[in-house]
């Protein structure tokens, strides 16, 4: 644009958008924002005491585990996509510095955070539907969780050859009855919920999260991770 030139704005851009246009723009903004961690899109609350007790009892987490660093993450109502209940599906393990920030007295402040913490647990819709304890570990947190689960029956040793067989099946799902005898004996008595496969033939050991459903076990790992 030449020096001294005047920029002309089209008149149709100065008019107020219609209600339909505003609704479409709002929906588009929700879709664009949904699922991205940035200013004001999520609220964080310390995990409820009853959930802490469930984690202790169900997964055998020891008292050394930093339970006070667990926070539920809920999508703020104004950004929730249609059909998303925003019910705190993710439980994050946060650092001491992040905990200090989240524990500041309640104010109408919003922060832009690049990485809030490690996704340690998440609500599983299948378990929730079955009416059982619905939080299961996330694979990215398995290595951190296992040292706090000494003696827990939900850490299940698995032979490397058996893991390969499972990963080659459709959806990485096998029937409990098809597991090798020693593994089946450990899995069969377990109620529905998350388990952690421990492949100790590898060094360091490989830990993968699986879902023990009513009659099957589904190993929850993406091909990209493998």
């Amino acid at each position: 644009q030449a020096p001294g030139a005047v920029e002309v704005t089209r008149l149709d851009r100065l008019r107020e958008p219609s209600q339909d246009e505003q609704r479409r723009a709002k929906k588009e903004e929700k879709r664009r924002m949904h699922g991205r961690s940035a200013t004001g899109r999520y609220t964080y609350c310390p995990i409820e005491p009853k959930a802490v007790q469930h984690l202790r009892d169900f997964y055998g987490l020891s008292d050394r585990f930093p339970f006070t660093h667990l926070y539920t993450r809920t999508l703020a109502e104004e950004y929730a996509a249609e059909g998303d209940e925003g019910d705190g599906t993710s439980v994050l393990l946060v650092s001491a510095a992040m905990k200090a920030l989240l524990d500041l007295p309640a104010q109408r402040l919003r922060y832009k955070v690049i990485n809030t913490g490690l996704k340690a647990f998440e609500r599983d819709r299948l378990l929730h539907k079955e009416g059982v304890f619905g939080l299961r570990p996330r694979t990215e947190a398995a290595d951190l969780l296992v040292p706090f689960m000494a003696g827990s029956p939900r850490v299940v040793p698995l032979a490397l050859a058996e893991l390969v067989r499972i990963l080659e099946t459709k959806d990485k799902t096998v029937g409990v009855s098809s597991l090798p005898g020693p593994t089946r004996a450990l899995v069969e008595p377990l109620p529905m919920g998350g388990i952690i496969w421990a492949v100790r033939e590898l060094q360091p050991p490989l830990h993968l999260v699986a879902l023990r459903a009513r009659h099957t076990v589904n190993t929850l790992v993406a091909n990209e991770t493998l």
Side-chain angles (χ1 to χ4, degrees):
Q1 182 172 313
V6 177
E7 182 176 355
V8 178
T9 301
R10 288 175 52 182
L11 292 178
D12 62 350
R13 291 180 182 172
L14 295 177
R15 67 176 176 80
E16 286 292 323
S18 68
Q19 288 187 345
D20 285 343
E21 289 172 333
Q22 291 179 34
R23 280 194 292 268
R24 282 197 297 270
K26 190 172 182 179
K27 285 185 178 180
E28 180 60 32
E29 182 71 1
K30 284 181 180 180
R31 283 193 292 269
R32 188 174 69 83
M33 296 293 199
H34 179 57
R36 297 172 59 186
S37 180
T39 308
R41 291 174 202 156
Y42 294 106
T43 57
Y44 298 85
C45 297
I47 190 171
E48 294 181 359
K50 66 177 183 179
V52 169
Q53 192 58 50
H54 274 303
L55 291 174
R56 290 180 191 272
D57 297 342
F58 196 81
Y59 290 109
L61 288 167
S62 73
D63 292 337
R64 296 185 298 107
F65 186 80
F67 291 103
T68 57
H69 286 244
L70 290 177
Y71 284 75
T72 58
R73 185 181 75 176
T74 303
L75 193 64
E77 183 179 351
E78 62 266 34
Y79 293 105
E82 293 181 10
D84 189 329
E85 298 175 1
D87 57 356
T89 56
S90 296
V91 178
L92 282 77
L93 181 65
V94 304
S95 67
M98 180 56 65
K99 175 176 168 55
L101 179 65
L102 296 175
D103 288 347
L104 286 173
Q107 302 177 50
R108 298 297 294 176
L109 297 178
R110 294 184 174 186
Y111 306 93
K112 185 167 184 176
V113 179
I114 302 301
N115 188 356
T116 311
L118 176 69
K119 285 185 180 179
F121 298 92
E122 69 180 359
R123 187 185 303 274
D124 189 284
R125 295 186 184 278
L126 172 62
L127 298 177
H128 193 60
K129 188 182 298 184
E130 290 283 347
V132 298
F133 178 55
L135 289 178
R136 58 168 171 75
R138 297 266 304 193
T139 286
E140 56 262 47
D143 286 337
L144 184 147
L145 294 173
V146 166
F148 296 99
M149 297 172 66
S152 171
R154 305 204 77 88
V155 178
V156 180
L158 186 70
L160 179 58
E162 180 60 17
L163 174 64
V164 171
R165 181 184 78 85
I166 292 173
L167 296 180
E168 289 177 344
T169 62
K170 183 180 180 181
D171 300 326
K172 306 179 184 68
T173 300
V174 295
V176 173
S177 60
S178 73
L179 293 169
T183 306
R184 185 172 67 250
L186 295 173
V187 173
E188 276 184 337
L190 297 177
M192 293 175 60
I195 64 173
I196 297 179
W197 294 130
V199 183
R200 293 167 180 156
E201 295 168 57
L202 301 176
Q203 291 299 322
L206 175 65
H207 299 118
L208 296 176
V209 171
L211 176 63
R212 197 276 197 240
R214 193 176 297 277
H215 302 294
T216 60
V217 181
N218 175 212
T219 300
L220 304 169
V221 59
N223 292 330
E224 295 78 11
T225 302
L226 294 173

